[in-house]
Amino acid sequence: MNLLGLIVEYNPFHNGHLYHLNESKKITNATHTIAVMSGNFMQRGTPALLDKFTRAEMAVKNGVDLVVELPTLYACQSAEIFAHGGISLLNSLNCVNSICFGSEIGDIDILYLISKILIDEPIDFKIKLKDYLDKGLPFPKARASALFYYITENKLYDTSEEDLLNMLNSPNNILGIEYIKSILKLNSKIKPYTINRINSGYNSLNVNDSICSASAIRNALKNNSLNTINYTMPKDTYDIINRVIESGFNLVYNEDFYQILSSIIIRDKDNLTDYFEVNEGIENKIYNSIFKCHNIETLQNEIKSKRYT
């Protein structure tokens, strides 16, 4: 057997996911597929549109052989922790030969090279990174510039600094680098592959093709437009969503939790730093912002600043 691992959310499973699944099987020559999937909450802390069992059913009906849950402890974290949880789980199964993920660059060589440099931290790279930080550059820009210097100085890859910065600012490239870093840290035998993401970006709300983002599909469903987007998903996905809606289940969105969230923030004013990664003063910004906002979106925009992305 040749087992392919995928780290997914399928919120919900759509044509882009089916393309990724089928292409991943092709380039890895996989005979079977294991998907590590977020449970009822997603990487950015958002609730899943449908419960994890329904989303696992979608995955299996569309060609995944086994779905394993990624614990919430890892699912709702930064790219680094999310990736480490997914890779650790696949690695612990002791049967997975490869992993394939989508990326904007679609080039495993440069992603692997960047990951290796970030893991090994060669002395020339570290010196340049410190120099750029001392000059006042934000960390992402300083790291990109140090990487560019190290890569070009050692003639490791032909790229421009602008292209490298764009690469490091692209969400799926970032996640792919973290997957590879985790593979290297674990000394895992899992071989990484990548394919180009096609069509819409992951957070685009435009539904103008048979392959669009999950965000666009969720937005359409929020507006009760399932019948207008049936061409964006496999028939099995459409049938399952239609079945769930007809059963009287309300699809779940961020806004459904706003009143609970605001009550907890006000109640726990003095204990907000007990929550993971709530530190360095953002707890005060969260608390002060809650009185100016009426929904999740305005709260996120109010908290966001140059310091807090």
Side-chain angles (χ1 to χ4, degrees):
M1 289 196 301
N2 182 4
L3 270 66
L4 164 68
L6 303 171
I7 301 175
V8 301
E9 297 199 307
Y10 293 161
N11 189 35
F13 191 103
H14 55 66
N15 288 341
H17 295 134
L18 185 61
Y19 172 83
H20 171 237
L21 174 61
N22 290 335
E23 287 300 304
S24 298
K25 287 179 178 179
K26 282 182 189 176
I27 68 172
T28 61
N29 294 312
T31 57
H32 297 82
T33 309
I34 299 174
V36 171
M37 188 184 78
S38 302
N40 291 329
F41 287 85
M42 305 291 98
Q43 190 195 345
R44 286 171 289 280
T46 59
L49 186 74
L50 297 153
D51 70 273
K52 59 190 179 185
F53 300 107
T54 302
R55 289 177 13 258
E57 180 187 355
M58 288 178 180
V60 171
K61 285 192 172 180
N62 281 290
V64 173
D65 295 294
L66 173 67
V67 179
V68 181
E69 182 179 357
L70 178 65
T72 305
L73 174 67
Y74 295 103
C76 293
Q77 301 298 346
S78 64
E80 183 177 10
I81 299 174
F82 178 89
H84 182 70
I87 295 296
S88 296
L89 210 164
L90 287 174
N91 191 58
S92 69
L93 297 176
N94 292 317
C95 62
V96 176
N97 303 100
S98 60
I99 179 174
C100 188
F101 53 86
S103 65
E104 289 84 1
I105 190 68
D107 183 348
I108 197 66
D109 292 335
I110 183 61
L111 296 178
Y112 194 93
L113 175 61
I114 291 170
S115 303
K116 192 81 167 62
I117 294 170
L118 294 178
I119 287 289
D120 295 343
E121 292 191 317
I123 188 65
D124 290 352
F125 166 75
K126 290 176 73 173
I127 290 171
K128 272 294 177 182
L129 177 60
K130 185 177 185 305
D131 286 346
Y132 288 125
L133 290 172
D134 289 344
K135 289 176 182 177
L137 267 64
F139 181 79
K141 171 65 173 162
R143 186 176 70 166
S145 297
L147 279 166
F148 176 72
Y149 168 82
Y150 185 81
I151 288 169
T152 53
E153 188 72 13
N154 291 280
K155 298 181 173 59
L156 300 175
Y157 192 89
D158 185 18
T159 184
S160 70
E161 188 169 4
E162 183 180 1
D163 285 346
L164 189 62
L165 184 60
N166 289 335
M167 193 189 310
L168 293 169
N169 283 333
S170 302
N172 292 282
N173 289 340
I174 292 170
L175 201 49
I177 289 168
E178 294 302 336
Y179 289 145
I180 298 169
K181 283 171 62 181
S182 292
I183 289 171
L184 293 171
K185 286 178 184 176
L186 293 168
N187 196 26
S188 173
K189 294 180 180 178
I190 295 174
K191 184 175 180 180
Y193 294 83
T194 189
I195 60 173
N196 275 106
R197 276 186 63 93
I198 56 176
N199 292 25
S200 299
Y202 79 100
N203 59 354
S204 170
L205 296 182
N206 297 320
V207 181
N208 48 23
D209 204 336
S210 61
I211 293 182
C212 64
S213 71
S215 298
I217 292 172
R218 291 194 298 273
N219 189 60
L221 288 169
K222 191 175 179 181
N223 295 316
N224 300 312
S225 302
L226 175 60
N227 291 330
T228 67
I229 58 167
N230 61 330
Y231 63 93
T232 67
M233 60 187 75
K235 184 178 183 302
D236 284 314
T237 297
Y238 176 85
D239 289 344
I240 290 170
I241 294 177
N242 198 47
R243 181 192 77 202
V244 168
I245 292 173
E246 287 184 348
S247 75
F249 179 84
N250 291 321
L251 302 179
V252 184
Y253 300 95
N254 277 359
E255 292 77 9
D256 300 332
F257 291 83
Y258 182 71
Q259 292 302 321
I260 296 171
L261 180 64
S262 59
S263 297
I264 290 171
I265 290 170
I266 294 169
R267 182 195 70 193
D268 291 352
K269 174 188 175 183
D270 298 325
N271 302 306
L272 293 179
T273 53
D274 291 347
Y275 293 95
F276 184 57
E277 289 193 336
V278 179
N279 50 37
E280 296 185 0
I282 196 172
E283 66 277 6
N284 299 319
K285 195 160 179 56
I286 292 171
Y287 179 77
N288 293 329
S289 297
I290 200 68
F291 298 101
K292 306 175 187 177
C293 305
H294 301 287
N295 56 48
I296 290 282
E297 184 177 359
T298 56
L299 178 62
Q300 288 171 334
N301 290 330
E302 181 68 26
I303 293 169
K304 182 179 177 181
S305 67
K306 288 183 178 179
R307 182 173 184 182
Y308 308 117
T309 58

